[in-house]
């Protein structure tokens, strides 16, 4: 009997990694739908920036279709003022900063997050249905901070706090900013807590300027961060590869073009079939012996680190 049990296999524990990319990260909605369609529940999720927003929503146990419907409703009706700020050209933005005498940025990320996150997303990491880790950047220590416990919203807000657009978030005596500055696609975070890693890259490349004058000051400011993030991802991939890597083709969209959510979702659609095929192949080919799990019980539990 025991001999037969040693041959029993179980499906691999899948870690889902959702990268940063601003509005390009709306493509993550397609990914969540694929996981739900196939009935795959990630063993753990890790996210950076907008990947942290959708990671938190999915980790809360919300259906992918509900998350998508909430996003579309928010972007189509309730964020008109914010959308205008996002798509404003450099000179109007500078005038706003001058008139309002804002110290560092336009928007409070926690206030915006209250609109972006569905109401059913809980207040703490401990209340999530799926273990979650969120990546932010410690501005003064100049290092990545992986948050996996405590208040959820401040962690996600910190992860999405793009410099010059959002104010930094103070948490646990740290000044935290956009996690994409140090780890835009954190497929190296989960380690042995999962058997396979599925990483979704929405960082994209800077799009061509619409006219011969080149990018505006605001476009150059935001795109410079994306160039850095793309370079970080490229260097990481040279030394280590996730088990499944999906590069969503959303390059032609500006990272702040949330008002073009319909176009972004349409452009991300081809990633649906690519991800589905790879997940089906993974499920069919990858199994983990039960004795491997019992021999290393610490891998069966996900223990998030302290922030």
């Amino acid at each position: 009997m025991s001999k037969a049990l040693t041959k029993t296999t179980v499906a691999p524990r899948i870690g889902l990694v959702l990268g940063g990319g601003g509005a390009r990260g709306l493509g993550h909605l397609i990914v969540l739908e694929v996981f739900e369609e196939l009935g795959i529940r990630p063993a753990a999720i890790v996210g950076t920036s907008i990947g942290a927003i959708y990671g938190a929503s999915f980790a809360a146990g919300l259906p992918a279709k509900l998350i998508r419907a909430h996003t579309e409703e928010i972007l189509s009706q309730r964020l008109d003022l914010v959308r205008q700020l996002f798509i404003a050209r450099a000179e109007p933005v500078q005038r706003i900063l001058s008139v309002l005498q804002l110290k560092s940025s336009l928007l409070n990320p926690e206030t915006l997050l209250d609109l972006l996150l569905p109401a059913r997303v809980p207040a703490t990491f401990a209340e999530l249905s799926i273990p979650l880790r969120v990546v932010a950047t410690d501005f003064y220590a100049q290092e990545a901070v992986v948050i996996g416990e405590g208040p959820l919203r401040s962690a996600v807000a910190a992860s999405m706090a793009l410099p010059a657009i959002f104010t930094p978030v103070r948490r646990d005596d740290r000044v935290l900013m956009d996690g994409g500055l140090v780890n835009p696609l954190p497929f190296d975070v989960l380690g042995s807590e999962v058997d396979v890693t599925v990483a979704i890259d929405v960082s994209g490349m800077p799009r061509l300027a619409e006219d011969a004058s080149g990018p505006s000051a605001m476009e150059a400011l935001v795109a410079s961060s994306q160039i850095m993030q793309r370079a970080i991802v490229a260097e990481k991939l040279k030394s280590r590869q996730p088990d499944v890597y999906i590069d969503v083709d959303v390059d032609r969209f500006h990272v702040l073009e949330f008002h073009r959510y319909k176009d972004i979702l349409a452009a991300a659609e081809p990633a649906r079939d690519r991800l589905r095929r790879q997940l089906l192949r993974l499920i069919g080919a990858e199994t983990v012996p039960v004795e491997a799990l019992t021999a290393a019980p610490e891998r069966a539990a996900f223990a998030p680190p302290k922030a």
Side-chain angles (χ1 to χ4, degrees):
M1 184 69 174
S2 59
K3 186 175 182 180
L5 287 175
T6 60
K7 296 180 179 180
T8 302
T9 57
V10 296
R13 292 166 297 176
I14 296 177
L16 175 59
V17 180
L18 302 176
R24 293 166 172 171
L26 294 172
H28 288 319
L29 292 168
I30 304 298
V31 172
L32 301 185
E33 289 178 350
V34 173
F35 269 76
E36 190 167 272
E37 289 166 5
L38 297 179
I40 298 175
R41 176 186 172 91
I45 300 173
V46 58
T48 292
S49 195
I50 192 167
I53 296 176
Y54 288 127
S57 299
F58 205 51
L62 301 184
K65 293 189 181 301
L66 184 151
I67 298 171
R68 177 168 178 164
H70 175 81
T71 297
E72 292 179 337
E73 191 271 334
I74 288 294
L75 295 181
S76 65
Q77 297 180 24
R78 294 167 57 189
L79 287 183
D80 289 340
L81 176 60
V82 173
R83 283 166 45 215
Q84 292 304 315
L85 287 175
F86 276 143
I87 65 177
R89 296 300 180 184
E91 289 185 2
V93 167
Q94 290 171 355
R95 286 200 296 271
I96 293 173
L97 290 172
S98 175
V99 171
L100 299 182
Q101 296 184 341
L102 297 180
K103 181 179 179 182
S104 59
S105 63
L106 288 174
L107 302 170
N108 182 321
E110 295 187 65
T111 300
L112 181 59
L113 190 62
D114 285 340
L115 294 174
L116 295 176
L117 276 182
R120 288 166 54 188
V121 174
T124 67
F125 281 86
E127 298 172 85
L128 294 171
S129 300
I130 299 173
L132 172 72
R133 290 183 180 179
V134 169
V135 178
T137 300
D138 185 318
F139 178 76
Y140 291 107
Q142 300 181 21
E143 63 184 13
V145 178
V146 180
I147 307 172
E149 64 180 14
L152 178 62
R153 278 168 172 75
S154 64
V156 177
S159 185
M160 61 177 271
L162 185 68
I165 303 297
F166 297 105
T167 54
V169 173
R170 292 185 176 273
R171 178 185 168 112
D172 299 330
D173 297 323
R174 294 176 181 264
V175 176
L176 303 178
M177 304 179 75
D178 185 10
L181 298 174
V182 288
N183 201 347
L185 189 63
F187 57 82
D188 52 338
V189 167
L190 294 177
S192 62
E193 281 86 359
V194 297
D195 302 307
V196 295
T197 302
V198 177
I200 311 300
D201 189 356
V202 293
S203 59
M205 299 289 288
R207 67 177 184 181
L208 293 175
E210 297 179 355
D211 55 56
S213 63
S216 68
M218 179 59 72
E219 288 173 335
L221 174 65
V222 176
S224 63
S225 174
Q226 296 304 120
I227 293 170
M228 177 189 67
Q229 292 185 33
R230 192 69 171 180
I232 292 173
V233 172
E235 286 302 311
K236 287 181 61 178
L237 290 173
K238 288 179 182 178
S239 58
R240 180 176 177 180
Q241 294 276 339
D243 299 282
V244 175
Y245 171 75
I246 301 293
D247 189 357
V248 184
D249 186 10
V250 286
D251 291 6
R252 65 180 178 274
F253 302 100
H254 191 287
V255 296
L256 297 181
E257 288 184 327
F258 287 92
H259 61 293
R260 299 184 64 188
Y261 64 93
K262 292 182 181 179
D263 296 328
I264 296 172
L265 289 171
E269 269 297 327
R272 183 187 299 274
D273 288 337
R274 284 188 284 128
L275 178 59
R276 182 187 288 111
R277 287 196 301 270
Q278 293 202 45
L279 287 176
L280 288 173
R281 186 179 305 116
L282 183 68
I283 295 171
E286 295 284 346
T287 54
V288 182
V290 169
E291 64 267 24
L293 296 179
T294 57
E298 71 278 3
R299 293 185 57 195
F302 182 85
K306 292 185 178 180

